[in-house]
Amino acid sequence: MSPENPLLTRAISLGHDKSKITEFYDEWAKAYDHDIVDIIGYVGHRVTAEALVSRVSGDAEILDAGCGTGLVALELKKRNAALRIDGIDLTQGMLDEAARTGAYRRLLPGDLTATLPLSDKSYDGIVSAGVFTNGHVGPEGIDELVRVARPGAPIVLTVRDTAWEADGFDVHIRDLERAGAIRLREIKHSPYHAHEGMLCRLCTLDAV
Ligand SMILES: C[S@@+](CC[C@H](N)C(=O)[O-])C[C@H]1O[C@@H](n2cnc3c(N)ncnc32)[C@H](O)[C@@H]1O
């Protein structure tokens, strides 16, 4: 594995502190796409879009949770231009960049660790890439995604490998399944930061 990029070292050291997270991403927003894709070799947006698109049809309503600058929605739209995608994110600077893509129906500020300003059972599919990672959102953030998913809706998310056990994602997802809130469709290793050799768990959960 290559030595970690300094931006990633900073990103995973934000300690779940929301003011540090928004300060970091507001500062990074304009250069984010270039740095993360071209320099770091991030592929989370591509692998989640590929996994989700085959599971939803036509003009499905999709939530992109922690949408950042809109990389996931652009990948989804390449594969199905009719999808109606809403994006939500904690950081206004990232939402401003996402608005420039023109890929979203709606963009909203929101915090995955609190109650999102969205109705129960309102989406046909949910995607969250690059958000469930060290220092960002812990496994409890998955509960809000489950709440806003329609029964049967696929929820596709990445969990950085270094957070999977350390932050209790494995246990939390099994607990959600045992409680009957989700059906676990697939958890597999996937490339994540390709230039760093970092993997993630690519999880597909079905809301019940
Ligand atoms: C690494 S970026 C990923 C962005 C995008 N999904 C992608 O794949 O490029 C992480 C994003 O998570 C957002 N974020 C961090 N904590 C959050 C929270 N509690 N609620 C909502 N978004 C959050 C950040 O603002 C940032 O835009």
Side-chain angles (χ1 to χ4, degrees), residues 13-51:
S13 310
L14 295 167
H16 304 270
D17 177 325
K18 284 172 217 160
S19 57
K20 282 191 187 159
I21 290 172
T22 52
E23 192 185 342
F24 175 73
Y25 281 104
D26 270 330
E27 196 186 304
W28 196 10
K30 290 215 181 296
Y32 174 88
D33 290 1
H34 167 71
D35 291 348
I36 200 125
V37 176
D38 301 335
I39 297 180
I40 293 165
Y42 174 70
V43 292
H45 55 315
R46 288 222 316 270
V47 298
T48 49
E50 272 159 19

PDB file of all heavy atoms in Angstrom, residues 13-51:
ATOM      1  N   SER A  13      -9.073  12.171  10.193  1.00  0.00           N
ATOM      2  CA  SER A  13      -8.748  12.609  11.559  1.00  0.00           C
ATOM      3  C   SER A  13      -9.715  13.683  12.058  1.00  0.00           C
ATOM      4  O   SER A  13      -9.391  14.424  12.988  1.00  0.00           O
ATOM      5  CB  SER A  13      -7.323  13.175  11.593  1.00  0.00           C
ATOM      6  OG  SER A  13      -6.441  12.272  10.992  1.00  0.00           O
ATOM      7  N   LEU A  14     -10.898  13.774  11.459  1.00  0.00           N
ATOM      8  CA  LEU A  14     -11.828  14.852  11.821  1.00  0.00           C
ATOM      9  C   LEU A  14     -12.626  14.534  13.077  1.00  0.00           C
ATOM     10  O   LEU A  14     -13.345  15.391  13.605  1.00  0.00           O
ATOM     11  CB  LEU A  14     -12.777  15.141  10.633  1.00  0.00           C
ATOM     12  CG  LEU A  14     -12.053  15.695   9.393  1.00  0.00           C
ATOM     13  CD1 LEU A  14     -12.963  15.667   8.169  1.00  0.00           C
ATOM     14  CD2 LEU A  14     -11.539  17.113   9.633  1.00  0.00           C
ATOM     15  N   GLY A  15     -12.486  13.313  13.566  1.00  0.00           N
ATOM     16  CA  GLY A  15     -13.010  12.955  14.887  1.00  0.00           C
ATOM     17  C   GLY A  15     -14.520  13.079  15.031  1.00  0.00           C
ATOM     18  O   GLY A  15     -15.001  13.322  16.140  1.00  0.00           O
ATOM     19  N   HIS A  16     -15.273  12.937  13.929  1.00  0.00           N
ATOM     20  CA  HIS A  16     -16.748  13.025  13.975  1.00  0.00           C
ATOM     21  C   HIS A  16     -17.220  14.408  14.451  1.00  0.00           C
ATOM     22  O   HIS A  16     -18.354  14.561  14.863  1.00  0.00           O
ATOM     23  CB  HIS A  16     -17.364  11.933  14.874  1.00  0.00           C
ATOM     24  CG  HIS A  16     -16.958  10.538  14.486  1.00  0.00           C
ATOM     25  ND1 HIS A  16     -17.681   9.780  13.588  1.00  0.00           N
ATOM     26  CD2 HIS A  16     -15.906   9.783  14.852  1.00  0.00           C
ATOM     27  CE1 HIS A  16     -17.085   8.606  13.430  1.00  0.00           C
ATOM     28  NE2 HIS A  16     -15.994   8.587  14.184  1.00  0.00           N
ATOM     29  N   ASP A  17     -16.321  15.403  14.396  1.00  0.00           N
ATOM     30  CA  ASP A  17     -16.644  16.748  14.882  1.00  0.00           C
ATOM     31  C   ASP A  17     -17.231  17.551  13.708  1.00  0.00           C
ATOM     32  O   ASP A  17     -16.535  17.840  12.727  1.00  0.00           O
ATOM     33  CB  ASP A  17     -15.339  17.386  15.408  1.00  0.00           C
ATOM     34  CG  ASP A  17     -15.528  18.818  15.867  1.00  0.00           C
ATOM     35  OD1 ASP A  17     -16.341  19.552  15.266  1.00  0.00           O
ATOM     36  OD2 ASP A  17     -14.836  19.204  16.821  1.00  0.00           O
ATOM     37  N   LYS A  18     -18.504  17.921  13.832  1.00  0.00           N
ATOM     38  CA  LYS A  18     -19.189  18.501  12.667  1.00  0.00           C
ATOM     39  C   LYS A  18     -18.605  19.838  12.238  1.00  0.00           C
ATOM     40  O   LYS A  18     -18.547  20.135  11.051  1.00  0.00           O
ATOM     41  CB  LYS A  18     -20.688  18.621  12.947  1.00  0.00           C
ATOM     42  CG  LYS A  18     -21.331  17.255  12.834  1.00  0.00           C
ATOM     43  CD  LYS A  18     -22.757  17.247  13.278  1.00  0.00           C
ATOM     44  CE  LYS A  18     -23.013  15.926  13.990  1.00  0.00           C
ATOM     45  NZ  LYS A  18     -24.186  15.985  14.854  1.00  0.00           N
ATOM     46  N   SER A  19     -18.144  20.652  13.182  1.00  0.00           N
ATOM     47  CA  SER A  19     -17.583  21.928  12.725  1.00  0.00           C
ATOM     48  C   SER A  19     -16.248  21.697  12.023  1.00  0.00           C
ATOM     49  O   SER A  19     -15.944  22.358  11.024  1.00  0.00           O
ATOM     50  CB  SER A  19     -17.490  22.950  13.856  1.00  0.00           C
ATOM     51  OG  SER A  19     -16.739  22.430  14.897  1.00  0.00           O
ATOM     52  N   LYS A  20     -15.473  20.709  12.479  1.00  0.00           N
ATOM     53  CA  LYS A  20     -14.208  20.405  11.772  1.00  0.00           C
ATOM     54  C   LYS A  20     -14.508  19.821  10.385  1.00  0.00           C
ATOM     55  O   LYS A  20     -13.812  20.096   9.407  1.00  0.00           O
ATOM     56  CB  LYS A  20     -13.396  19.376  12.564  1.00  0.00           C
ATOM     57  CG  LYS A  20     -12.665  19.962  13.731  1.00  0.00           C
ATOM     58  CD  LYS A  20     -11.684  18.948  14.293  1.00  0.00           C
ATOM     59  CE  LYS A  20     -11.056  19.453  15.574  1.00  0.00           C
ATOM     60  NZ  LYS A  20     -10.503  18.417  16.393  1.00  0.00           N
ATOM     61  N   ILE A  21     -15.548  18.992  10.307  1.00  0.00           N
ATOM     62  CA  ILE A  21     -15.904  18.365   9.013  1.00  0.00           C
ATOM     63  C   ILE A  21     -16.309  19.437   8.008  1.00  0.00           C
ATOM     64  O   ILE A  21     -15.814  19.471   6.877  1.00  0.00           O
ATOM     65  CB  ILE A  21     -17.045  17.326   9.210  1.00  0.00           C
ATOM     66  CG1 ILE A  21     -16.522  16.110   9.983  1.00  0.00           C
ATOM     67  CG2 ILE A  21     -17.641  16.902   7.867  1.00  0.00           C
ATOM     68  CD1 ILE A  21     -17.585  15.099  10.406  1.00  0.00           C
ATOM     69  N   THR A  22     -17.189  20.361   8.419  1.00  0.00           N
ATOM     70  CA  THR A  22     -17.663  21.361   7.451  1.00  0.00           C
ATOM     71  C   THR A  22     -16.538  22.343   7.075  1.00  0.00           C
ATOM     72  O   THR A  22     -16.428  22.743   5.923  1.00  0.00           O
ATOM     73  CB  THR A  22     -18.903  22.122   7.965  1.00  0.00           C
ATOM     74  OG1 THR A  22     -18.620  22.633   9.261  1.00  0.00           O
ATOM     75  CG2 THR A  22     -20.116  21.234   8.050  1.00  0.00           C
ATOM     76  N   GLU A  23     -15.686  22.659   8.036  1.00  0.00           N
ATOM     77  CA  GLU A  23     -14.558  23.559   7.733  1.00  0.00           C
ATOM     78  C   GLU A  23     -13.632  22.896   6.700  1.00  0.00           C
ATOM     79  O   GLU A  23     -13.214  23.509   5.718  1.00  0.00           O
ATOM     80  CB  GLU A  23     -13.807  23.843   9.030  1.00  0.00           C
ATOM     81  CG  GLU A  23     -12.821  24.964   8.928  1.00  0.00           C
ATOM     82  CD  GLU A  23     -12.018  25.120  10.226  1.00  0.00           C
ATOM     83  OE1 GLU A  23     -12.449  24.601  11.276  1.00  0.00           O
ATOM     84  OE2 GLU A  23     -10.956  25.731  10.154  1.00  0.00           O
ATOM     85  N   PHE A  24     -13.353  21.611   6.929  1.00  0.00           N
ATOM     86  CA  PHE A  24     -12.458  20.874   6.032  1.00  0.00           C
ATOM     87  C   PHE A  24     -13.048  20.791   4.615  1.00  0.00           C
ATOM     88  O   PHE A  24     -12.377  21.086   3.627  1.00  0.00           O
ATOM     89  CB  PHE A  24     -12.222  19.472   6.607  1.00  0.00           C
ATOM     90  CG  PHE A  24     -11.414  18.569   5.726  1.00  0.00           C
ATOM     91  CD1 PHE A  24     -10.048  18.767   5.578  1.00  0.00           C
ATOM     92  CD2 PHE A  24     -12.005  17.530   5.034  1.00  0.00           C
ATOM     93  CE1 PHE A  24      -9.282  17.935   4.756  1.00  0.00           C
ATOM     94  CE2 PHE A  24     -11.254  16.690   4.209  1.00  0.00           C
ATOM     95  CZ  PHE A  24      -9.898  16.904   4.078  1.00  0.00           C
ATOM     96  N   TYR A  25     -14.328  20.400   4.522  1.00  0.00           N
ATOM     97  CA  TYR A  25     -14.913  20.213   3.183  1.00  0.00           C
ATOM     98  C   TYR A  25     -15.242  21.542   2.503  1.00  0.00           C
ATOM     99  O   TYR A  25     -15.164  21.639   1.280  1.00  0.00           O
ATOM    100  CB  TYR A  25     -16.131  19.281   3.239  1.00  0.00           C
ATOM    101  CG  TYR A  25     -15.696  17.831   3.325  1.00  0.00           C
ATOM    102  CD1 TYR A  25     -15.772  17.128   4.514  1.00  0.00           C
ATOM    103  CD2 TYR A  25     -15.156  17.186   2.217  1.00  0.00           C
ATOM    104  CE1 TYR A  25     -15.346  15.808   4.604  1.00  0.00           C
ATOM    105  CE2 TYR A  25     -14.727  15.868   2.292  1.00  0.00           C
ATOM    106  CZ  TYR A  25     -14.818  15.190   3.480  1.00  0.00           C
ATOM    107  OH  TYR A  25     -14.381  13.883   3.557  1.00  0.00           O
ATOM    108  N   ASP A  26     -15.589  22.581   3.276  1.00  0.00           N
ATOM    109  CA  ASP A  26     -15.791  23.900   2.652  1.00  0.00           C
ATOM    110  C   ASP A  26     -14.498  24.354   1.969  1.00  0.00           C
ATOM    111  O   ASP A  26     -14.504  24.887   0.867  1.00  0.00           O
ATOM    112  CB  ASP A  26     -16.221  24.939   3.705  1.00  0.00           C
ATOM    113  CG  ASP A  26     -17.729  25.007   3.876  1.00  0.00           C
ATOM    114  OD1 ASP A  26     -18.463  24.754   2.905  1.00  0.00           O
ATOM    115  OD2 ASP A  26     -18.175  25.308   4.993  1.00  0.00           O
ATOM    116  N   GLU A  27     -13.390  24.120   2.652  1.00  0.00           N
ATOM    117  CA  GLU A  27     -12.077  24.526   2.122  1.00  0.00           C
ATOM    118  C   GLU A  27     -11.687  23.684   0.905  1.00  0.00           C
ATOM    119  O   GLU A  27     -11.065  24.162  -0.029  1.00  0.00           O
ATOM    120  CB  GLU A  27     -11.061  24.327   3.251  1.00  0.00           C
ATOM    121  CG  GLU A  27      -9.734  25.002   3.080  1.00  0.00           C
ATOM    122  CD  GLU A  27      -8.804  24.580   4.230  1.00  0.00           C
ATOM    123  OE1 GLU A  27      -9.194  24.780   5.409  1.00  0.00           O
ATOM    124  OE2 GLU A  27      -7.742  24.031   3.936  1.00  0.00           O
ATOM    125  N   TRP A  28     -12.096  22.397   0.909  1.00  0.00           N
ATOM    126  CA  TRP A  28     -11.662  21.459  -0.134  1.00  0.00           C
ATOM    127  C   TRP A  28     -12.603  21.468  -1.363  1.00  0.00           C
ATOM    128  O   TRP A  28     -12.226  21.007  -2.444  1.00  0.00           O
ATOM    129  CB  TRP A  28     -11.603  20.042   0.458  1.00  0.00           C
ATOM    130  CG  TRP A  28     -10.832  19.039  -0.358  1.00  0.00           C
ATOM    131  CD1 TRP A  28     -10.039  19.291  -1.447  1.00  0.00           C
ATOM    132  CD2 TRP A  28     -10.791  17.612  -0.157  1.00  0.00           C
ATOM    133  NE1 TRP A  28      -9.505  18.114  -1.930  1.00  0.00           N
ATOM    134  CE2 TRP A  28      -9.952  17.083  -1.152  1.00  0.00           C
ATOM    135  CE3 TRP A  28     -11.380  16.751   0.772  1.00  0.00           C
ATOM    136  CZ2 TRP A  28      -9.689  15.702  -1.250  1.00  0.00           C
ATOM    137  CZ3 TRP A  28     -11.115  15.389   0.676  1.00  0.00           C
ATOM    138  CH2 TRP A  28     -10.273  14.874  -0.321  1.00  0.00           C
ATOM    139  N   ALA A  29     -13.830  22.017  -1.195  1.00  0.00           N
ATOM    140  CA  ALA A  29     -14.902  21.798  -2.174  1.00  0.00           C
ATOM    141  C   ALA A  29     -14.468  22.031  -3.633  1.00  0.00           C
ATOM    142  O   ALA A  29     -14.737  21.191  -4.501  1.00  0.00           O
ATOM    143  CB  ALA A  29     -16.096  22.680  -1.832  1.00  0.00           C
ATOM    144  N   LYS A  30     -13.785  23.131  -3.916  1.00  0.00           N
ATOM    145  CA  LYS A  30     -13.503  23.462  -5.319  1.00  0.00           C
ATOM    146  C   LYS A  30     -12.478  22.519  -5.948  1.00  0.00           C
ATOM    147  O   LYS A  30     -12.543  22.231  -7.137  1.00  0.00           O
ATOM    148  CB  LYS A  30     -13.046  24.917  -5.444  1.00  0.00           C
ATOM    149  CG  LYS A  30     -14.185  25.891  -5.166  1.00  0.00           C
ATOM    150  CD  LYS A  30     -14.110  27.132  -6.026  1.00  0.00           C
ATOM    151  CE  LYS A  30     -15.234  28.088  -5.723  1.00  0.00           C
ATOM    152  NZ  LYS A  30     -16.562  27.527  -6.051  1.00  0.00           N
ATOM    153  N   ALA A  31     -11.541  22.067  -5.142  1.00  0.00           N
ATOM    154  CA  ALA A  31     -10.483  21.195  -5.692  1.00  0.00           C
ATOM    155  C   ALA A  31     -10.806  19.707  -5.487  1.00  0.00           C
ATOM    156  O   ALA A  31     -10.067  18.843  -5.962  1.00  0.00           O
ATOM    157  CB  ALA A  31      -9.158  21.526  -5.009  1.00  0.00           C
ATOM    158  N   TYR A  32     -11.918  19.410  -4.789  1.00  0.00           N
ATOM    159  CA  TYR A  32     -12.220  18.033  -4.365  1.00  0.00           C
ATOM    160  C   TYR A  32     -12.227  17.039  -5.539  1.00  0.00           C
ATOM    161  O   TYR A  32     -11.561  15.997  -5.479  1.00  0.00           O
ATOM    162  CB  TYR A  32     -13.571  18.024  -3.632  1.00  0.00           C
ATOM    163  CG  TYR A  32     -14.072  16.648  -3.260  1.00  0.00           C
ATOM    164  CD1 TYR A  32     -13.703  16.050  -2.059  1.00  0.00           C
ATOM    165  CD2 TYR A  32     -14.919  15.941  -4.112  1.00  0.00           C
ATOM    166  CE1 TYR A  32     -14.166  14.788  -1.713  1.00  0.00           C
ATOM    167  CE2 TYR A  32     -15.388  14.679  -3.774  1.00  0.00           C
ATOM    168  CZ  TYR A  32     -15.010  14.106  -2.578  1.00  0.00           C
ATOM    169  OH  TYR A  32     -15.458  12.851  -2.248  1.00  0.00           O
ATOM    170  N   ASP A  33     -12.946  17.346  -6.597  1.00  0.00           N
ATOM    171  CA  ASP A  33     -13.108  16.360  -7.680  1.00  0.00           C
ATOM    172  C   ASP A  33     -11.747  15.973  -8.259  1.00  0.00           C
ATOM    173  O   ASP A  33     -11.456  14.799  -8.458  1.00  0.00           O
ATOM    174  CB  ASP A  33     -13.995  16.912  -8.801  1.00  0.00           C
ATOM    175  CG  ASP A  33     -15.455  17.038  -8.376  1.00  0.00           C
ATOM    176  OD1 ASP A  33     -15.775  16.712  -7.208  1.00  0.00           O
ATOM    177  OD2 ASP A  33     -16.273  17.477  -9.204  1.00  0.00           O
ATOM    178  N   HIS A  34     -10.938  16.979  -8.546  1.00  0.00           N
ATOM    179  CA  HIS A  34      -9.617  16.706  -9.118  1.00  0.00           C
ATOM    180  C   HIS A  34      -8.759  15.903  -8.136  1.00  0.00           C
ATOM    181  O   HIS A  34      -8.165  14.887  -8.501  1.00  0.00           O
ATOM    182  CB  HIS A  34      -8.926  18.018  -9.488  1.00  0.00           C
ATOM    183  CG  HIS A  34      -7.460  17.845  -9.777  1.00  0.00           C
ATOM    184  ND1 HIS A  34      -7.007  17.212 -10.923  1.00  0.00           N
ATOM    185  CD2 HIS A  34      -6.365  18.186  -9.058  1.00  0.00           C
ATOM    186  CE1 HIS A  34      -5.684  17.177 -10.886  1.00  0.00           C
ATOM    187  NE2 HIS A  34      -5.267  17.752  -9.769  1.00  0.00           N
ATOM    188  N   ASP A  35      -8.701  16.368  -6.892  1.00  0.00           N
ATOM    189  CA  ASP A  35      -7.817  15.711  -5.917  1.00  0.00           C
ATOM    190  C   ASP A  35      -8.248  14.277  -5.664  1.00  0.00           C
ATOM    191  O   ASP A  35      -7.424  13.361  -5.645  1.00  0.00           O
ATOM    192  CB  ASP A  35      -7.835  16.472  -4.580  1.00  0.00           C
ATOM    193  CG  ASP A  35      -7.174  17.838  -4.672  1.00  0.00           C
ATOM    194  OD1 ASP A  35      -6.512  18.108  -5.701  1.00  0.00           O
ATOM    195  OD2 ASP A  35      -7.326  18.641  -3.734  1.00  0.00           O
ATOM    196  N   ILE A  36      -9.546  14.079  -5.462  1.00  0.00           N
ATOM    197  CA  ILE A  36      -9.978  12.752  -5.009  1.00  0.00           C
ATOM    198  C   ILE A  36      -9.969  11.744  -6.155  1.00  0.00           C
ATOM    199  O   ILE A  36      -9.616  10.588  -5.970  1.00  0.00           O
ATOM    200  CB  ILE A  36     -11.344  12.811  -4.274  1.00  0.00           C
ATOM    201  CG1 ILE A  36     -11.530  11.562  -3.410  1.00  0.00           C
ATOM    202  CG2 ILE A  36     -12.517  12.938  -5.219  1.00  0.00           C
ATOM    203  CD1 ILE A  36     -11.817  11.776  -2.002  1.00  0.00           C
ATOM    204  N   VAL A  37     -10.330  12.192  -7.346  1.00  0.00           N
ATOM    205  CA  VAL A  37     -10.402  11.244  -8.465  1.00  0.00           C
ATOM    206  C   VAL A  37      -9.025  11.090  -9.119  1.00  0.00           C
ATOM    207  O   VAL A  37      -8.520   9.973  -9.262  1.00  0.00           O
ATOM    208  CB  VAL A  37     -11.457  11.692  -9.504  1.00  0.00           C
ATOM    209  CG1 VAL A  37     -11.447  10.757 -10.712  1.00  0.00           C
ATOM    210  CG2 VAL A  37     -12.843  11.728  -8.869  1.00  0.00           C
ATOM    211  N   ASP A  38      -8.403  12.212  -9.500  1.00  0.00           N
ATOM    212  CA  ASP A  38      -7.168  12.120 -10.292  1.00  0.00           C
ATOM    213  C   ASP A  38      -5.958  11.800  -9.423  1.00  0.00           C
ATOM    214  O   ASP A  38      -5.066  11.069  -9.846  1.00  0.00           O
ATOM    215  CB  ASP A  38      -6.913  13.440 -11.052  1.00  0.00           C
ATOM    216  CG  ASP A  38      -8.070  13.778 -11.977  1.00  0.00           C
ATOM    217  OD1 ASP A  38      -8.776  12.843 -12.393  1.00  0.00           O
ATOM    218  OD2 ASP A  38      -8.279  14.969 -12.269  1.00  0.00           O
ATOM    219  N   ILE A  39      -5.909  12.358  -8.227  1.00  0.00           N
ATOM    220  CA  ILE A  39      -4.708  12.153  -7.411  1.00  0.00           C
ATOM    221  C   ILE A  39      -4.854  10.924  -6.511  1.00  0.00           C
ATOM    222  O   ILE A  39      -3.967  10.078  -6.456  1.00  0.00           O
ATOM    223  CB  ILE A  39      -4.389  13.427  -6.581  1.00  0.00           C
ATOM    224  CG1 ILE A  39      -4.091  14.582  -7.549  1.00  0.00           C
ATOM    225  CG2 ILE A  39      -3.206  13.189  -5.648  1.00  0.00           C
ATOM    226  CD1 ILE A  39      -3.762  15.895  -6.920  1.00  0.00           C
ATOM    227  N   ILE A  40      -6.004  10.809  -5.855  1.00  0.00           N
ATOM    228  CA  ILE A  40      -6.171   9.724  -4.879  1.00  0.00           C
ATOM    229  C   ILE A  40      -6.704   8.440  -5.544  1.00  0.00           C
ATOM    230  O   ILE A  40      -6.521   7.341  -5.032  1.00  0.00           O
ATOM    231  CB  ILE A  40      -7.083  10.218  -3.719  1.00  0.00           C
ATOM    232  CG1 ILE A  40      -6.342  11.322  -2.936  1.00  0.00           C
ATOM    233  CG2 ILE A  40      -7.529   9.098  -2.811  1.00  0.00           C
ATOM    234  CD1 ILE A  40      -7.197  12.156  -2.011  1.00  0.00           C
ATOM    235  N   GLY A  41      -7.333   8.603  -6.696  1.00  0.00           N
ATOM    236  CA  GLY A  41      -7.857   7.414  -7.395  1.00  0.00           C
ATOM    237  C   GLY A  41      -9.122   6.867  -6.757  1.00  0.00           C
ATOM    238  O   GLY A  41      -9.418   5.676  -6.811  1.00  0.00           O
ATOM    239  N   TYR A  42      -9.925   7.774  -6.151  1.00  0.00           N
ATOM    240  CA  TYR A  42     -11.197   7.386  -5.522  1.00  0.00           C
ATOM    241  C   TYR A  42     -12.158   6.816  -6.567  1.00  0.00           C
ATOM    242  O   TYR A  42     -12.314   7.389  -7.648  1.00  0.00           O
ATOM    243  CB  TYR A  42     -11.803   8.636  -4.887  1.00  0.00           C
ATOM    244  CG  TYR A  42     -13.176   8.509  -4.293  1.00  0.00           C
ATOM    245  CD1 TYR A  42     -13.392   7.768  -3.136  1.00  0.00           C
ATOM    246  CD2 TYR A  42     -14.274   9.165  -4.869  1.00  0.00           C
ATOM    247  CE1 TYR A  42     -14.660   7.686  -2.567  1.00  0.00           C
ATOM    248  CE2 TYR A  42     -15.540   9.092  -4.296  1.00  0.00           C
ATOM    249  CZ  TYR A  42     -15.724   8.348  -3.152  1.00  0.00           C
ATOM    250  OH  TYR A  42     -16.973   8.274  -2.579  1.00  0.00           O
ATOM    251  N   VAL A  43     -12.789   5.692  -6.207  1.00  0.00           N
ATOM    252  CA  VAL A  43     -13.765   5.097  -7.133  1.00  0.00           C
ATOM    253  C   VAL A  43     -15.102   4.815  -6.431  1.00  0.00           C
ATOM    254  O   VAL A  43     -15.971   4.157  -6.993  1.00  0.00           O
ATOM    255  CB  VAL A  43     -13.225   3.801  -7.785  1.00  0.00           C
ATOM    256  CG1 VAL A  43     -12.078   4.096  -8.735  1.00  0.00           C
ATOM    257  CG2 VAL A  43     -12.797   2.778  -6.723  1.00  0.00           C
ATOM    258  N   GLY A  44     -15.277   5.336  -5.213  1.00  0.00           N
ATOM    259  CA  GLY A  44     -16.508   5.072  -4.450  1.00  0.00           C
ATOM    260  C   GLY A  44     -17.761   5.506  -5.205  1.00  0.00           C
ATOM    261  O   GLY A  44     -18.804   4.856  -5.121  1.00  0.00           O
ATOM    262  N   HIS A  45     -17.666   6.624  -5.916  1.00  0.00           N
ATOM    263  CA  HIS A  45     -18.830   7.121  -6.674  1.00  0.00           C
ATOM    264  C   HIS A  45     -19.206   6.151  -7.788  1.00  0.00           C
ATOM    265  O   HIS A  45     -20.384   5.949  -8.067  1.00  0.00           O
ATOM    266  CB  HIS A  45     -18.542   8.527  -7.224  1.00  0.00           C
ATOM    267  CG  HIS A  45     -17.303   8.640  -8.069  1.00  0.00           C
ATOM    268  ND1 HIS A  45     -16.096   8.082  -7.729  1.00  0.00           N
ATOM    269  CD2 HIS A  45     -17.093   9.232  -9.275  1.00  0.00           C
ATOM    270  CE1 HIS A  45     -15.204   8.355  -8.666  1.00  0.00           C
ATOM    271  NE2 HIS A  45     -15.795   9.036  -9.611  1.00  0.00           N
ATOM    272  N   ARG A  46     -18.177   5.554  -8.431  1.00  0.00           N
ATOM    273  CA  ARG A  46     -18.456   4.651  -9.548  1.00  0.00           C
ATOM    274  C   ARG A  46     -19.011   3.320  -9.067  1.00  0.00           C
ATOM    275  O   ARG A  46     -19.989   2.811  -9.596  1.00  0.00           O
ATOM    276  CB  ARG A  46     -17.172   4.412 -10.352  1.00  0.00           C
ATOM    277  CG  ARG A  46     -16.740   5.609 -11.173  1.00  0.00           C
ATOM    278  CD  ARG A  46     -16.261   5.177 -12.550  1.00  0.00           C
ATOM    279  NE  ARG A  46     -15.387   4.013 -12.473  1.00  0.00           N
ATOM    280  CZ  ARG A  46     -14.054   4.069 -12.326  1.00  0.00           C
ATOM    281  NH1 ARG A  46     -13.448   5.235 -12.276  1.00  0.00           N
ATOM    282  NH2 ARG A  46     -13.345   2.970 -12.276  1.00  0.00           N
ATOM    283  N   VAL A  47     -18.400   2.750  -8.034  1.00  0.00           N
ATOM    284  CA  VAL A  47     -18.829   1.405  -7.609  1.00  0.00           C
ATOM    285  C   VAL A  47     -20.228   1.446  -6.999  1.00  0.00           C
ATOM    286  O   VAL A  47     -21.017   0.506  -7.188  1.00  0.00           O
ATOM    287  CB  VAL A  47     -17.805   0.715  -6.673  1.00  0.00           C
ATOM    288  CG1 VAL A  47     -16.484   0.508  -7.387  1.00  0.00           C
ATOM    289  CG2 VAL A  47     -17.589   1.463  -5.359  1.00  0.00           C
ATOM    290  N   THR A  48     -20.568   2.540  -6.305  1.00  0.00           N
ATOM    291  CA  THR A  48     -21.924   2.616  -5.728  1.00  0.00           C
ATOM    292  C   THR A  48     -22.964   2.830  -6.839  1.00  0.00           C
ATOM    293  O   THR A  48     -24.031   2.226  -6.805  1.00  0.00           O
ATOM    294  CB  THR A  48     -22.028   3.745  -4.682  1.00  0.00           C
ATOM    295  OG1 THR A  48     -21.486   4.942  -5.243  1.00  0.00           O
ATOM    296  CG2 THR A  48     -21.304   3.387  -3.392  1.00  0.00           C
ATOM    297  N   ALA A  49     -22.640   3.705  -7.801  1.00  0.00           N
ATOM    298  CA  ALA A  49     -23.590   3.953  -8.897  1.00  0.00           C
ATOM    299  C   ALA A  49     -23.846   2.658  -9.669  1.00  0.00           C
ATOM    300  O   ALA A  49     -24.995   2.326  -9.990  1.00  0.00           O
ATOM    301  CB  ALA A  49     -23.062   5.040  -9.830  1.00  0.00           C
ATOM    302  N   GLU A  50     -22.779   1.912  -9.943  1.00  0.00           N
ATOM    303  CA  GLU A  50     -22.947   0.643 -10.674  1.00  0.00           C
ATOM    304  C   GLU A  50     -23.831  -0.322  -9.897  1.00  0.00           C
ATOM    305  O   GLU A  50     -24.692  -0.983 -10.460  1.00  0.00           O
ATOM    306  CB  GLU A  50     -21.579  -0.019 -10.914  1.00  0.00           C
ATOM    307  CG  GLU A  50     -20.932   0.447 -12.196  1.00  0.00           C
ATOM    308  CD  GLU A  50     -19.414   0.232 -12.205  1.00  0.00           C
ATOM    309  OE1 GLU A  50     -18.899  -0.577 -11.407  1.00  0.00           O
ATOM    310  OE2 GLU A  50     -18.758   0.921 -13.017  1.00  0.00           O
ATOM    311  N   ALA A  51     -23.615  -0.396  -8.579  1.00  0.00           N
ATOM    312  CA  ALA A  51     -24.382  -1.347  -7.769  1.00  0.00           C
ATOM    313  C   ALA A  51     -25.850  -0.922  -7.661  1.00  0.00           C
ATOM    314  O   ALA A  51     -26.739  -1.767  -7.617  1.00  0.00           O
ATOM    315  CB  ALA A  51     -23.764  -1.455  -6.372  1.00  0.00           C
TER     316      ALA A  51
END
